[in-house]
Each structure stands twice: as structure tokens, then as C-alpha cells.
Amino acid sequence: MNSSILLAAQAQGQGGGMSMLIMMIAIFAIMWFFMIRPQQKKQKEIRNFQNALTENTKVVTGGGIFGTVKRIDIQNNRVEVEIAKGVVIEVDKAYVFRDTSELMAGQPAK
């Protein structure tokens, strides 16, 4: 009777390692589909927006500053953004994240 319990315990122990490996792979796959993949898609969309940036586009920078693109310097990878009448700041192109034309369309003019 003791030998059958011992054999059953050994069989269960050997299968446990394989099921643990399968479980780890499943957890990684779930993380990839729900966390990593959507973040990569979002970064690709932002990169495409930055590469298609044109003058007079209303944008928001990484610091939360809203403004209008006045000039794009491709060689130095910089963008001049007008944040108020006559006030132009220069930011790195990588910190221009979003087109705000549709956000600002519903607001009254100042």
C-alpha cells in the first residue's frame, strides 16, 4: 500500500514541473497581449504622428503645453511651438505627442 502512494507522489511531482512551465508561458502571453502589445501600438502611432507633423498643427507637448507648430527643424529634431501670440518655444520633436485640433474645435475663441 505504501509503494502505491509513493509511486503516485512521484508521478505527480514529475508532472508539476511541466505544468509550472506551461503556466509561466501562459502568464507571459497574457501580459504581452494586454500590456506590452497595446503600449507598442500606441508608441508607433505617436512616432507616425511626429514624423507627419506639419506647420500650423495644434499640438500638446510632453509637459502639457498647448500650442501651434510654427517651424520644424528636421536636422536638429526640434519643433518651434507658439504657445501665445508672439511667444514661441523650442521643444524636442519627441515631446510633441498629440494633435489637439479636434479638442480645441469645440472651445470658444479667446
Side-chain angles (χ1 to χ4, degrees):
M1 178 112 150
N2 287 337
S3 64
S4 63
I5 293 174
L6 185 61
L7 289 174
Q10 285 178 347
Q12 191 176 20
Q14 290 173 350
M18 186 60 135
S19 66
M20 183 66 154
L21 181 66
I22 291 171
M23 194 66 127
M24 293 296 287
I25 291 171
I27 289 171
F28 178 75
I30 290 168
M31 284 180 53
W32 188 78
F33 277 113
F34 289 109
M35 295 173 68
I36 298 169
R37 187 170 165 249
Q39 186 177 10
Q40 287 176 341
K41 274 179 86 174
K42 180 92 168 157
Q43 287 175 344
K44 186 176 180 181
E45 289 174 8
I46 291 171
R47 206 173 322 114
N48 289 339
F49 167 72
Q50 290 168 344
N51 291 334
L53 202 58
T54 59
E55 293 179 1
N56 295 322
T57 303
K58 294 183 185 300
V59 296
V60 65
T61 66
I65 299 172
F66 287 78
T68 306
V69 175
K70 289 300 173 189
R71 193 172 74 83
I72 301 168
D73 184 1
I74 296 173
Q75 290 178 335
N76 294 326
N77 208 29
R78 297 189 182 193
V79 179
E80 288 184 4
V81 179
E82 183 178 41
I83 58 174
K85 192 168 256 184
V87 180
V88 178
I89 61 171
E90 190 174 351
V91 296
D92 191 83
K93 189 176 175 183
Y95 286 94
V96 177
F97 289 120
R98 188 169 60 161
D99 183 358
T100 60
S101 300
E102 67 277 353
L103 293 176
M104 299 177 101
Q107 295 180 357
K110 292 183 180 179

